DNA sequence: ACCTGAACACCGTTCAAGT
DNA sequence: ACCTGAACACCGTTCAAGT
């Protein structure tokens, strides 16, 4: 939690030369990186609606319009914030891995976890042009599946199926934030009306998100895998 | 249609004297149903950002604040619009169906198609309390899976996996609206940078959305199905 | 090169008031 | 019961101007 609240008008008056470049730690000069970092803070703290150009500038100790020198518009702030969330800090090379399936699971769980660390991010991804970091993740995923033996003709279907599943799971989990009261009320509604099956299974009370994600992913991979040698009850 | 939470809307029409100058076919009195119908029009025409309380009132020929008599706030307009999109007009009973798998596929494709007819709707669903129509769809899905033999303990995982897949697919498809120029530019970027695998498979140019949806769904169902007797290359 | 305030054209919603 | 305009506290962004 770096506060960086404006500490009086000092920084503005302290200039003596045309380029102050002062070392006042409270107010470094504006920059793309600083804007993105502060946007992340704001988004994490206040959610999607909490990000406002004016509030962002405020937090940076600058006038609202100063941002527009570094950034085209608010859309670009979202693009940059999202891309920064999606940076992959995985093993630099997983060339020699024997267990491609474990690699895929790890990549997808890391992707999901990265987005869940910033719950606003997943909803942002589908409607945005693909940034470098998500493309990097898709490339790595694609390469791994290809090495595992997925035919070129099936690659896109495999990638999009996994994409769909991960995005659906993450967007849902990131937005499904019921209080205990909400949950009780929802379950109550199920009971009082005509939803006997999902009432009995307590669908809306289930909260083993991680476990459910993993299990569904396994089903999907069972289907996608070229050499599936399990998951069959009848041969 | 819309589940009317409040008392009947019929009372309005029954009134005769107090308000002059209606019966003009252009301007029937304001009502919840009329508000929702017009909101749908506006959303279809202008997208999510196009829906504005002021514009909505304008289209209805009323003052902006008149809406607030019939509706709590903008959120509720979204709730109602979304629920109306999700209404299920399926076979009233599918009690005797022999082919549960075909039933499930049909239900999910109908769900997806209903949302794609209103491309703004899918993104709205995850962050909203469950309305009656989506709950009805989940109940029907759940009942079908249960009848097909999915154990109670596995039911929630099955439902959520299908939910994740359908939502991810639909949100992505509804938002991925590249022009031909965009597609060319994207593919160009893939080629010029370091994404050889997805460049080769032309991931971003693939547009057999319906086919890919169906194939991935089949993989998932292969995994979820209790009596999977196919999808195995090695016994 | 970098930053600024004033201004424009919007928002959602509260409120007191009209019929 | 139903509708209204004025007003409040916001938005994103353009523009001409400052350093």
């Amino acid at each position: 939690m770096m506060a960086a609240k404006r500490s009086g008008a000092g920084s503005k008056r302290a200039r003596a030369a045309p380029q102050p470049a002062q070392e006042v730690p409270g107010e470094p000069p504006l920059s793309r990186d600083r804007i993105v970092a502060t946007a992340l803070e704001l988004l994490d703290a206040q959610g999607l609606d909490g990000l406002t150009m004016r509030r962002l500038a405020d937090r940076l100790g600058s006038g609202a319009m100063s941002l527009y020198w570094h950034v085209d518009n608010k859309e670009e702030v979202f693009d940059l914030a999202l891309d920064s969330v999606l940076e992959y800090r995985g093993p630099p090379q997983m060339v020699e891995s024997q267990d491609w399936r474990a690699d895929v699971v790890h990549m997808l769980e890391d992707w999901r976890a990265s987005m869940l660390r910033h719950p606003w991010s997943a909803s942002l991804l589908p409607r945005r042009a693909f940034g470098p970091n998500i493309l990097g993740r898709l490339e790595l995923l694609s390469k791994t599946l290809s090495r595992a033996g997925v035919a070129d003709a099936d690659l896109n279907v495999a990638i999009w199926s996994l994409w769909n599943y991960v995005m659906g799971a993450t967007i849902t989990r990131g937005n499904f934030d019921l209080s205990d009261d909400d949950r009780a009320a929802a379950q109550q509604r199920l009971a009082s009306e005509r939803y006997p099956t999902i009432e009995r299974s307590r669908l809306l009370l289930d909260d083993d998100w991680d476990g459910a994600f993993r299990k569904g992913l396994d089903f999907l991979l069972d289907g996608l895998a070229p050499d599936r040698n399990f998951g069959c009850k009848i041969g």
Side-chain angles (χ1 to χ4, degrees), chain A:
Chain A
M1 170 86 61
M2 53 153 278
K5 275 267 190 151
R6 178 182 8 210
S7 60
S11 63
K12 284 188 182 110
R13 295 165 164 262
R15 81 198 132 69
Q19 302 298 0
Q22 65 284 70
E23 299 293 310
V24 185
E27 298 295 359
L30 230 40
S31 73
R32 234 161 194 265
D33 283 353
R34 223 160 76 76
I35 289 174
V36 174
T38 308
L40 275 177
E41 281 176 37
L42 202 44
L43 285 163
D44 287 346
Q46 322 254 29
L48 273 185
D49 294 340
L51 179 62
T52 276
M53 295 302 271
R54 287 165 142 104
R55 265 206 281 254
L56 181 53
D58 226 53
R59 243 185 212 235
L60 287 158
S62 77
M65 292 308 103
S66 314
L67 303 179
Y68 287 88
W69 178 261
H70 304 269
V71 131
D72 279 354
N73 47 36
K74 193 182 179 182
E75 280 292 285
E76 192 177 10
V77 178
F78 277 130
D79 286 344
L80 295 169
L82 178 60
D83 194 59
S84 109
V85 161
L86 290 171
E87 193 178 357
Y88 185 50
R89 303 172 186 77
Q93 295 283 22
M94 49 172 59
V95 190
E96 290 305 328
S97 173
Q98 302 288 35
D99 189 353
W100 69 268
R101 186 164 167 140
D103 292 342
V104 167
V105 169
H106 175 268
M107 285 166 39
L108 297 180
E109 287 192 326
D110 177 87
W111 177 20
R112 171 171 175 269
S114 298
M115 293 193 287
L116 286 182
R117 247 173 262 129
H118 308 276
W120 45 271
S121 63
S123 341
L124 233 39
L125 184 46
R127 68 174 55 200
R128 225 142 277 275
F130 289 92
N133 282 328
I134 187 62
L135 284 182
R137 283 178 186 264
L138 291 176
E139 168 67 19
L140 186 54
L141 178 61
S142 204
K143 201 191 309 179
T144 306
L145 288 175
S146 186
R147 280 211 193 104
V150 174
D152 277 15
D154 300 331
L155 213 44
N156 286 347
V157 169
I159 300 283
W160 282 126
S161 295
L162 293 170
W163 165 283
N164 290 340
Y165 182 76
V166 172
M167 289 307 302
T170 311
I171 292 176
T172 300
R173 203 271 176 272
N175 287 119
F176 202 77
D177 217 1
L178 298 189
S179 70
D180 285 350
D181 285 359
D182 291 337
R183 302 168 85 86
Q187 187 65 20
Q188 186 63 27
R189 255 185 71 212
L190 293 192
S192 66
E193 299 181 34
R194 68 262 184 245
Y195 312 107
T197 315
I198 53 179
E199 194 274 333
R200 180 161 47 91
S201 74
R202 310 181 83 71
L203 181 69
L204 267 30
L205 298 181
D206 200 317
D207 60 355
D208 180 20
W209 297 93
D210 296 349
F213 176 78
R214 181 57 200 270
K215 279 180 206 160
L217 180 54
D218 273 333
F219 292 144
L220 202 45
L221 289 174
D222 288 349
L224 296 172
D227 52 10
R228 51 204 117 130
N229 51 356
F230 44 83
C232 301
K233 277 177 178 165
I234 306 172

